[in-house]
Amino acid sequence: MEEQPISIKGDSYRGWEVLLGLFYRDNHLEPTSISWNDVMMLLPVAHKYCMEAIKTSTLECINKAIKSKAQRIEFINVMKTLDMYDSFVTAVIELADARWELTFEDAQEM
């Protein structure tokens, strides 16, 4: 059988792989553990296709997992790219509240 992958313009294959992996796991009774990178790949797919419950859970997971200034900046940039204004503003405020020292390079990255 010849493989013919489905290609959806603008989507990350990893985002879909993570999403489908949530539903098609070997053992549904074990808790799911998703890496930071996987969660960041899942969010654009959930947002684009209006999967509100998954998007909400993903945002909660991201906010709990943020441990560094670099992760917060990455999250801010994803929010900006996805035009998620409310989440973007919240992330910027949380960055300021965390009292991380921001450099000029950090500001340029955002």
Side-chain angles (χ1 to χ4, degrees):
M1 181 163 110
E2 187 176 316
E3 246 187 73
Q4 296 188 355
I6 297 172
S7 176
I8 302 175
K9 189 174 183 164
D11 290 352
S12 147
Y13 82 90
R14 184 66 190 147
W16 279 101
E17 189 174 54
V18 172
L19 177 66
L20 293 172
L22 294 173
F23 299 107
Y24 299 103
R25 298 182 294 152
D26 292 334
N27 185 343
H28 291 283
L29 298 178
E30 286 184 19
T32 303
S33 177
I34 301 176
S35 73
W36 171 263
N37 290 334
D38 286 349
V39 171
M40 295 303 284
M41 298 304 289
L42 175 59
L43 183 60
V45 173
H47 177 69
K48 181 177 179 181
Y49 295 100
C50 301
M51 301 173 191
E52 293 303 318
I54 293 172
K55 184 170 82 173
T56 299
S57 295
T58 303
L59 288 170
E60 289 171 3
C61 182
I62 289 170
N63 278 312
K64 288 178 187 174
I66 290 176
K67 303 279 190 257
S68 69
K69 177 175 67 171
Q71 287 177 325
R72 177 65 65 189
I73 291 170
E74 179 183 1
F75 180 54
I76 287 169
N77 287 330
V78 169
M79 297 302 95
K80 187 169 53 174
T81 301
L82 297 176
D83 290 326
M84 294 176 63
Y85 180 75
D86 291 341
S87 296
F88 171 79
V89 169
T90 301
V92 170
I93 290 169
E94 288 171 354
L95 177 65
D97 287 347
R99 292 182 174 53
W100 280 309
E101 290 185 27
L102 296 176
T103 65
F104 182 69
E105 290 77 22
D106 293 334
Q108 284 181 312
E109 190 176 333
M110 289 188 281

